[in-house]
Amino acid sequence: LAKNVADDEPFGDCDDHAIWWCTTMLKSGLAEQAWFCFYTMIKKNSLEMSSHAVAVFKDKDGIYSWTDYRLPSSLLQDWHKWPYRSAETYDARPIAAVMFEIKEVKEDDTPVFGETTVLDVV
């Protein structure tokens, strides 16, 4: 993915962006924890459903942020609010959400998944 960015080539879809953010933030030392996350949302004015992947990370000051195709947005201490914040950008509301912790990044940039957290979204 980083090579594609450097070569001005297509980067991928939401899950590519999310895992890139997780591994980059951890490997650079800008985050002390990161999660590959996805959720299902329903549009507010219809019954159209879709799913989306985002990255959530916690920096060294304990501030949580989420990001997808955009620059990271702070969640302060409300780490569990990321599905709501992301869904708002699509005029939708979340109906299911899960987080997969990235417990380490191998030397070849391969993320290793750890604990899974299922969020209770209403």
Side-chain angles (χ1 to χ4, degrees):
L1 295 173
K3 181 178 180 340
N4 286 5
V5 170
D7 294 344
D8 201 26
E9 295 291 327
F11 187 82
D13 56 11
C14 60
D15 58 320
D16 297 313
H17 280 259
I19 202 65
W20 182 83
W21 274 105
C22 288
T23 56
T24 301
M25 294 300 288
L26 287 170
K27 196 163 184 180
S28 69
L30 293 172
E32 68 177 31
Q33 286 183 281
W35 295 265
F36 176 83
C37 307
F38 67 90
Y39 69 100
T40 299
M41 62 185 137
I42 187 165
K43 291 280 189 179
K44 290 181 179 175
N45 296 321
S46 73
L47 296 178
E48 180 185 350
M49 291 175 51
S50 61
S51 293
H52 188 53
V54 303
V56 172
F57 54 88
K58 181 176 135 184
D59 70 17
K60 304 232 182 233
D61 295 323
I63 303 297
Y64 290 85
S65 297
W66 74 274
T67 187
D68 55 6
Y69 300 112
R70 301 160 185 86
L71 291 175
S73 297
S74 176
L75 294 164
L76 301 175
Q77 299 301 322
D78 296 329
W79 62 268
H80 59 284
K81 297 291 186 185
W82 64 265
Y84 301 95
R85 300 278 176 80
S86 179
E88 287 172 6
T89 66
Y90 297 99
D91 196 32
R93 63 179 177 80
I95 58 172
V98 67
M99 304 172 74
F100 298 97
E101 184 176 11
I102 308 298
K103 68 178 185 177
E104 73 174 283
V105 178
K106 293 184 178 181
E107 198 170 303
D108 66 355
D109 295 339
T110 300
V112 178
F113 292 97
E115 185 177 326
T116 302
T117 303
V118 177
L119 296 181
D120 184 22
V121 294
V122 213

